[in-house]
Amino acid sequence: MQASLMITCLCDGLFPEVGKSAVRVLRKLGVTVEFPKEQTCCGQPAFNSGYPEEARKSARAMIRAFRSSSHVVSLSGSCVGMIRHNYPRLFSGRPEEREAETLAVKTYEFSEFLTEVLKVEALPVEVRGRATFHNSCHTRRWLGVSDGPEKILKMVRGLEVVPLPGAEDCCGFGGTFAVKMPRISTSMVDEKVEHILETGADLLVSLDMSCLMNIGGRLQREAHPVRVMHLAQLLDEGWLPHGR
């Protein structure tokens, strides 16, 4: 199977190691991974700020970049939500409408691709520790990805997975929300950190680096020794030699 990696702006600029982990995991699962270099921002910041024409410029570039891909795998549920739900709206009645709908259908969030397309039922991964999982608002509510990520986590040998109190609550990042409403955003991430500490977990796993950047930054500022990781990093790090 072939898939193209959609790196996202945040991973490309700040967390390229997450993209490398995703490529290694996908290859170990038998996927031929391509990386269209002409990909750019999905356009969500412009769209959410009320600039649809600027968002269309980014969207057109993404449509061209992934035109020949059979599947597109992204490391952000938020970016996938933008493509899946807003691209068809952006191009409704325009010449690009059909291509926008095609890209929307073949674009998946990383864990979603593992469970819904590859149908992964077991993984040769071992990680010792106690982990809790934070699902992003867009991944859970926009894409409907709920049980899949935790199902994958439970495939990891040696990993104790504990539920996160207030798991459905936002971490307070929310793209431009954190910039426009800093006090409310800070209160929200403080509450999220309190819940993480309640679990006693030494590892926080999520699917969006924006959430992990926000929560991880707060954990670090308060000197809490909880490690934060994207699911792709966890699987890559714990993949057993020779797949056993």
Side-chain angles (χ1 to χ4, degrees):
M1 180 180 292
Q2 179 272 343
S4 296
L5 181 69
M6 190 177 98
I7 186 66
T8 80
C9 302
L10 204 60
C11 282
D12 188 37
L14 300 177
F15 306 102
E17 66 277 10
V18 179
K20 292 176 183 176
S21 287
V23 169
R24 284 192 286 267
V25 170
L26 290 171
R27 284 177 175 168
K28 287 169 184 170
L29 289 169
V31 178
T32 301
V33 184
E34 297 176 350
F35 185 81
K37 293 181 180 178
E38 60 271 30
Q39 62 182 288
T40 183
C41 173
C42 68
Q44 187 175 182
F47 183 84
N48 289 350
S49 299
Y51 297 97
E53 194 50 49
E54 284 73 11
R56 283 189 196 95
K57 290 179 182 177
S58 292
R60 287 191 184 98
M62 293 291 271
I63 289 170
R64 287 195 297 271
F66 294 109
R67 184 170 283 155
S68 61
S69 305
S70 59
H71 298 85
V72 180
V73 182
S74 173
L75 297 163
S76 164
S78 185
C79 297
V80 174
M82 174 68 190
I83 290 173
R84 190 176 295 174
H85 296 288
N86 287 338
Y87 276 22
R89 293 173 58 196
L90 275 172
F91 294 107
S92 177
R94 295 171 182 265
E96 303 93 336
E97 181 176 8
R98 188 166 182 177
E99 281 197 300
E101 290 174 347
T102 299
L103 180 57
V105 169
K106 67 184 182 182
T107 302
Y108 295 86
E109 181 276 325
F110 177 76
S111 73
E112 189 181 33
F113 185 72
L114 264 58
T115 57
E116 302 299 323
V117 179
L118 298 181
K119 306 292 185 185
V120 169
E121 294 291 339
L123 289 167
V125 178
E126 181 173 332
V127 176
R128 297 288 170 183
R130 183 182 176 92
T132 194
F133 175 70
H134 167 75
N135 203 350
S136 76
C137 301
H138 281 174
T139 305
R140 180 193 297 273
R141 299 186 178 94
W142 221 4
L143 301 183
V145 173
S146 56
D147 299 334
E150 293 184 77
K151 180 181 174 185
I152 293 172
L153 285 176
K154 290 178 181 176
M155 296 176 194
V156 179
R157 303 173 204 170
L159 189 67
E160 180 187 1
V161 183
V162 292
L164 179 63
E168 296 189 3
D169 296 342
C170 175
C171 72
F173 184 68
T176 57
F177 173 79
V179 177
K180 294 176 179 175
M181 304 285 181
R183 291 186 179 179
I184 298 174
S185 173
T186 301
S187 296
M188 292 170 76
V189 75
D190 280 344
E191 185 176 49
K192 181 64 68 177
V193 165
E194 287 177 13
H195 289 321
I196 292 167
L197 297 178
E198 285 173 22
T199 67
D202 51 28
L203 184 60
L204 173 67
V205 182
S206 189
L207 306 169
D208 271 67
M209 289 312 300
S210 55
C211 299
L212 287 176
M213 181 177 68
N214 187 39
I215 302 169
R218 201 63 181 170
L219 286 164
Q220 187 175 25
R221 174 170 290 194
E222 297 180 356
H224 297 301
V226 180
R227 193 178 178 201
V228 301
M229 300 179 79
H230 190 282
L231 178 65
Q233 288 176 292
L234 178 82
L235 300 183
D236 181 35
E237 189 172 297
W239 203 280
L240 295 168
H242 311 298
R244 293 184 293 180

